[in-house]
Amino acid sequence: MFDQATWRRQIAEQLNGFARNPRQEMQLAGAPSLLSYLVARTLAPFLEAFQREPIAAVLTLAAITHTPGADQIVQRATRLRYQSAAQIERELRSSKDIRVAAEQLLLELQTVALVRQRLNGGREEWARTMLDRELEMFVGEFGQLRRALSDPGWQTRSEALRALRNRKGRYTPADLVLIHDGLTDSAAHVRAAAARMLGLIAEPPGALLQKTLVRVALHDSDAETRVAAARAIGMLREYLTSPQLLDQLSACLFSDDSFVRSAVALVLGELGDMVSAPLLIKNLARLLSDIDPYAREAAARALGRIGTAAATPEVLAALSRAVEDDEITVHEAASDALDRLADLRPASALAVASP
């Protein structure tokens, strides 16, 4: 199924030719600018996926950007698929909303980083300078992209975080500052690396680190980063679980943002049997009928991991209904949850869960 990892991989594959001969690849693509070329290469996997699996494609796009420009890309997806980079150039020049969405996609899908990784020193400087010059015509826009172009240190930061594995969770104050800064970095893979390293800490993290980690797990724009942060919370659950955190998670189950709802369910699943509040479990079970299939799947998996406290007649009945879900991922998650809870449910619940 189309997701961000697949999207990034396909972008990377498309950029292999560009790395060999950037100017020739731009000419072959009919791209009047480097910006339009990169946006065209970034959008191409989405536009192809939109024809085969539109729901997965749109959900993956929405996980990165909720802007009006994303809506415009969806509305024009069929037309853009068969038109050249020159058309994308015209769209970029005429629509500020599309420019905003394009910037987020270039950064979160790491197109610019992939280009800079693939080019040698001279060509990398050419690409950076050319793109920076093209952005000058958009006064007051592309601020994040400009900062990324002027920042050569993202790779260094990522490597510095990965090197913390050698600490085996015994972090110095400087290490903790590095981790906190990494959690708020502009590059998604740096944020994910910081979350993974925090999950390995050998002592209770400070309040600021806890708060930042939870925020990343619930609200980060990158799905992989949210997963990394949720898993870190699971690894630190004995330190982080509190009535305050559970109240925050319970409230977020009713968020208007479907990605927040699925993120909350993912975190609750990582907390597992430390979630025992009946009302919270009841609210989580309500998510099994959510409009978003990702939220339904995450809720089913979370209920199975919570264990005994979730083995109530109401939850088992809701999971039994979820087994009939048209989405195969939801069906499988609900079936797995029922299997997990089978040996835990009270005898009075057997009849409720039986088909």
Side-chain angles (χ1 to χ4, degrees), residues 2-3 6-15 25 29 35-53 57 60-61 73 76-85 88 102 105-106 109 111:
F2 187 72
D3 55 17
T6 302
W7 196 344
R8 287 194 189 98
R9 185 179 67 254
Q10 292 176 352
I11 292 171
E13 292 170 354
Q14 293 184 86
L15 292 174
E25 284 297 306
L35 177 63
S36 62
Y37 173 84
L38 295 180
V39 173
R41 287 291 177 259
T42 300
L43 287 177
F46 166 80
L47 297 174
E48 287 295 322
F50 185 79
Q51 305 304 313
R52 303 188 309 272
E53 42 185 334
T60 302
L61 174 66
I73 290 171
R76 304 174 193 183
T78 302
R79 185 179 71 186
L80 289 174
R81 183 187 181 205
Y82 296 107
Q83 296 187 358
S84 67
I88 289 179
L105 292 172
L106 288 172
L109 292 169
T111 304

Side-chain angles (χ1 to χ4, degrees), residues 33-255:
S33 69
L34 179 56
L35 177 63
S36 62
Y37 173 84
L38 295 180
V39 173
R41 287 291 177 259
T42 300
L43 287 177
F46 166 80
L47 297 174
E48 287 295 322
F50 185 79
Q51 305 304 313
R52 303 188 309 272
E53 42 185 334
I55 294 176
V58 170
L59 288 173
T60 302
L61 174 66
I64 300 172
T65 172
H66 288 294
T67 63
D71 295 334
Q72 293 182 30
I73 290 171
V74 172
Q75 292 165 6
R76 304 174 193 183
T78 302
R79 185 179 71 186
L80 289 174
R81 183 187 181 205
Y82 296 107
Q83 296 187 358
S84 67
Q87 174 61 30
I88 289 179
E89 172 87 4
R90 290 190 287 272
E91 297 284 357
L92 287 168
R93 288 176 178 268
S94 63
S95 173
K96 181 176 180 179
D97 289 337
I98 287 184
R99 293 195 295 272
V100 170
E103 179 182 33
Q104 292 179 316
L105 292 172
L106 288 172
L107 291 171
E108 290 299 336
L109 292 169
Q110 302 172 19
T111 304
V112 173
L114 288 168
V115 167
R116 298 181 71 176
Q117 287 173 0
R118 281 163 167 70
L119 299 179
N120 61 29
R123 285 179 171 176
E124 192 276 337
E125 178 62 19
W126 164 81
R128 187 193 64 77
T129 302
M130 184 175 185
L131 189 53
D132 197 43
R133 186 183 303 124
E134 292 173 0
L135 296 178
E136 290 179 358
M137 68 179 295
F138 303 108
V139 179
E141 298 182 47
F142 290 106
Q144 288 183 308
L145 186 54
R146 293 174 198 269
R147 286 192 292 273
L149 290 172
S150 63
D151 174 21
W154 63 264
Q155 192 167 7
T156 301
R157 296 194 299 275
S158 182
E159 291 172 353
L161 284 163
R162 289 198 297 270
L164 293 181
R165 287 189 179 276
N166 296 327
R167 305 282 197 193
K168 300 186 184 302
R170 304 290 180 181
Y171 298 136
T172 67
D175 295 337
L176 295 176
V177 171
L178 176 64
I179 290 173
H180 179 267
D181 289 347
L183 289 171
T184 58
D185 198 272
S186 60
H189 58 288
V190 175
R191 299 195 300 273
R196 294 186 188 104
M197 292 304 102
L198 183 53
L200 299 176
I201 194 169
E203 57 187 24
L208 180 58
L209 277 171
Q210 293 184 33
K211 181 178 179 180
T212 305
L213 180 64
V214 171
R215 180 185 57 77
V216 171
L218 298 183
H219 302 290
D220 196 275
S221 60
D222 177 68
E224 293 179 19
T225 302
R226 293 198 300 271
V227 170
R231 288 176 177 168
I233 289 173
M235 296 170 70
L236 301 173
R237 62 197 193 117
E238 293 185 0
Y239 299 143
L240 270 61
T241 306
S242 67
Q244 293 76 20
L245 174 61
L246 295 178
D247 285 346
Q248 178 184 358
L249 295 175
S250 184
C252 288
L253 282 172
F254 300 102
S255 171

Side-chain angles (χ1 to χ4, degrees), residues 260-311:
V260 173
R261 298 196 299 273
S262 61
V264 173
L266 182 62
V267 170
L268 289 170
E270 293 294 336
L271 293 178
D273 59 11
M274 300 197 77
V275 177
S276 59
L279 181 59
L280 177 52
I281 293 172
K282 180 180 179 181
N283 290 339
L284 180 60
R286 290 175 57 184
L287 211 61
L288 292 170
S289 58
D290 195 89
I291 190 173
D292 178 36
Y294 289 112
R296 300 198 301 273
E297 177 188 358
R301 298 198 184 283
L303 289 165
R305 291 172 179 167
I306 288 172
T308 303

